């Protein structure tokens, strides 16, 4: 079944001069939808409204044939009647309950609890208290508890943000196959772009209480649509240009080949697709630049460079034969910007 929600929730003053308004219109099908956006954009408030912990001011929320909220009909189904699993970023375990009791709290029978303890590799920890667990173990308990009542909808509020990167990666690998087996709508809030790309079947980009972009995660990162969406996705390489032809634009003194399409004045460049120029590379899109800042990465270097006569370009450069292994501020480098790295941005956000 699918969840449909179209509602408004106001926070703070209600005189129209201040405060915050969450105004959303979305539909969640089975699979994992990731909600990405800056702090204060309304992500957690949205989850709380869907879970029944907050009451919207207007609109409706329906799950399949069930009406969970309808302002006009004064319907507000209680959280315990919505069959929603909710996972918080701070685990929110009951400190005076054992692992087994925490998982059983949702009302699951003993057999279901035992099954989840084994599935989440918590069987040997069942009688421990939360204070006796590591952060990763506590998060597994929180995930098991969310699934204990066989939810129809799973809401995840930055579930792994409190964990270090290696542990976060291991838990995502551990949990993703379970999500795929569930076959229910999952709404996963995160600030992490890499996590969003990794787990999302679809991506919602939220800003100031509204969803401003939606689509497959890779498609949005490669073609965000607007300058604001590009900014929120962390895509900093944006420039205005004069379009010479359907497949060529002018960036300062440089002529760049682009994918043919409509005429645009603003463009973005995907940092991950910029690469070192090599003698055998053909075509345009080679630019000269001066290194202003850099740092090593696992694959090579992240570089912020000043492109002669054009502006600043950030690039995530992988090692390749003939490329410099050591960089220094002020070094001259030559880069290639593949046509696939350049995407148009709509004039109006």
């Amino acid at each position: 079944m699918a969840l449909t929600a179209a509602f408004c929730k106001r926070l703070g003053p209600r005189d129209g001069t201040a405060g915050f308004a969450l105004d959303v219109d979305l539909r969640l099908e089975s699979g994992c939808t990731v909600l990405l956006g800056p702090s204060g954009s309304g992500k957690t408030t949205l989850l709380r409204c869907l879970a029944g912990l907050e009451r919207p001011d207007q609109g409706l929320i329906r799950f399949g044939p069930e009406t969970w909220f309808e302002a006009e009909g004064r319907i507000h189904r209680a959280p315990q009647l919505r069959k929603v699993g909710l996972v918080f970023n701070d685990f929110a375990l009951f400190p005076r309950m054992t692992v087994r009791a925490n998982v059983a709290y949702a009302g699951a029978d003993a057999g279901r609890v035992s099954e989840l303890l084994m599935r989440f590799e918590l069987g040997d920890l069942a009688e421990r208290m939360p204070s006796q667990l590591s952060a990763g173990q506590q998060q597994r308990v929180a995930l098991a508890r969310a699934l204990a009542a066989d939810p129809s909808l799973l809401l995840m509020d930055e579930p792994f943000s409190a964990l270090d990167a290696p542990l976060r990666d291991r838990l995502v690998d551990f949990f993703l196959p379970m999500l795929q087996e569930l076959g229910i709508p999952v709404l996963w809030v995160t600030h992490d772009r890499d996590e969003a790309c990794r787990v999302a079947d679809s991506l919602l980009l939220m800003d100031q209480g509204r969803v401003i972009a939606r689509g497959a995660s890779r498609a949005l990162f490669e073609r965000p649509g607007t300058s604001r969406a590009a900014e929120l996705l962390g895509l900093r390489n944006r420039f205005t240009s004069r379009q010479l032809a359907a497949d060529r634009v002018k960036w300062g003194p440089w002529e760049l080949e682009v994918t043919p399409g409509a005429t645009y004045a603003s463009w973005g460049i995907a940092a991950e697709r910029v690469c070192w120029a090599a003698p055998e590379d053909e075509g345009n899109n080679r630019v000269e630049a001066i290194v202003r800042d850099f740092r090593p990465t696992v694959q090579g270097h992240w570089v912020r460079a000043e492109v002669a006569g054009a502006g600043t370009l950030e690039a995530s450069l992988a090692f390749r034969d003939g490329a410099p292994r050591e960089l220094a501020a002020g070094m001259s480098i030559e880069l290639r910007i593949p046509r696939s790295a350049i995407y148009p941005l709509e004039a109006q956000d």
Side-chain angles (χ1 to χ4, degrees):
M1 289 190 291
L3 178 135
T4 56
F7 65 85
C8 180
K9 171 68 177 177
R10 292 182 294 274
L11 302 175
R14 294 171 176 257
D15 59 2
T17 61
F20 174 85
L22 175 67
D23 191 353
V24 296
D25 186 351
L26 57 85
R27 178 181 174 87
L28 300 179
E29 307 277 359
S30 61
C32 185
T33 300
V34 168
L35 186 61
L36 187 68
S39 296
S41 60
K43 303 185 301 297
T44 296
T45 301
L46 170 57
L47 263 60
R48 291 178 62 83
C49 287
L50 296 179
L53 302 175
E54 298 272 359
R55 183 194 290 262
D57 297 296
Q58 299 172 346
L60 59 86
I61 301 172
R62 291 192 179 120
F63 189 83
E66 299 176 356
T67 298
W68 286 359
F69 170 79
E70 185 182 282
E72 185 175 343
R74 297 185 179 181
I75 298 171
H76 181 71
R77 177 170 287 200
Q80 63 269 26
L81 300 178
R82 297 193 184 198
K83 292 202 70 176
V84 173
L86 184 56
V87 181
F88 299 95
N89 60 357
D90 60 356
F91 315 140
L93 301 180
F94 298 107
R96 297 183 181 179
M97 289 185 180
T98 64
V99 167
R100 184 184 300 276
N102 265 281
V103 175
Y105 182 79
D109 60 39
R112 176 62 172 160
V113 171
S114 296
E115 175 192 341
L116 286 166
L117 290 175
M118 297 304 297
R119 185 73 188 272
F120 282 87
E121 299 177 5
L122 295 167
D124 295 338
L125 307 174
E127 305 312 318
R128 291 192 186 181
M129 308 300 284
S131 61
Q132 299 174 300
L133 305 177
S134 69
Q137 290 166 343
Q138 289 185 55
Q139 188 57 287
R140 277 187 279 141
V141 176
L143 293 169
R145 183 179 61 185
L147 300 185
D150 295 320
S152 300
L153 171 69
L154 183 61
L155 306 176
M156 314 257 287
D157 193 0
E158 299 190 66
F160 303 123
S161 64
L163 308 178
D164 60 61
L167 179 56
R168 183 168 63 243
D169 288 343
R170 289 198 298 274
L171 275 179
V172 170
D173 285 341
F174 178 85
F175 191 53
L176 273 181
M178 298 185 195
L179 284 187
Q180 294 165 357
E181 292 175 14
L182 286 175
I184 63 173
V186 177
L187 186 58
W188 183 320
V189 169
T190 184
H191 280 97
D192 190 309
R193 295 187 308 151
D194 292 335
E195 184 175 274
C197 284
R198 185 176 177 186
V199 306
D201 294 310
S202 61
L203 179 65
L204 300 176
L205 185 59
M206 197 165 196
D207 186 36
Q208 298 180 357
R210 289 172 170 78
V211 174
I212 66 168
R214 66 189 73 202
S217 59
R218 176 51 56 193
L220 274 184
F221 276 100
E222 293 186 350
R223 197 181 178 102
T226 68
S227 293
R228 180 57 177 164
E231 180 182 354
L232 295 179
L233 289 169
L235 307 174
R236 299 183 186 140
N237 296 325
R238 303 187 298 277
F239 65 93
T240 57
S241 70
R242 180 166 57 91
Q243 191 155 357
L244 304 176
D247 63 349
R248 291 178 184 275
V249 299
K250 194 79 168 178
W251 184 33
W254 308 97
E255 188 173 309
L256 303 178
E257 293 180 351
V258 298
T259 301
T263 300
Y264 293 91
S266 297
W267 298 82
I269 298 173
E272 294 78 7
R273 295 202 172 193
V274 179
C275 53
W276 297 106
E280 65 271 18
D281 292 335
E282 297 180 356
N284 295 323
N285 296 25
R286 295 166 64 107
V287 298
E288 297 172 2
I290 302 295
V291 175
R292 298 303 182 198
D293 192 14
F294 66 94
R295 64 172 179 265
T297 66
V298 175
Q299 294 82 17
H301 289 96
W302 170 87
V303 175
R304 182 170 57 84
E306 191 73 24
V307 177
T312 301
L313 177 67
E314 292 188 10
S316 183
L317 301 170
F319 289 124
R320 67 174 293 176
D321 292 340
R325 290 279 172 158
E326 300 294 333
L327 296 180
M331 176 185 290
S332 296
I333 57 175
E334 189 173 12
L335 302 174
R336 185 170 68 87
I337 307 173
R339 185 167 66 174
S340 61
I342 307 171
Y343 52 85
L345 295 171
E346 300 289 344
Q348 299 295 325
D349 288 343

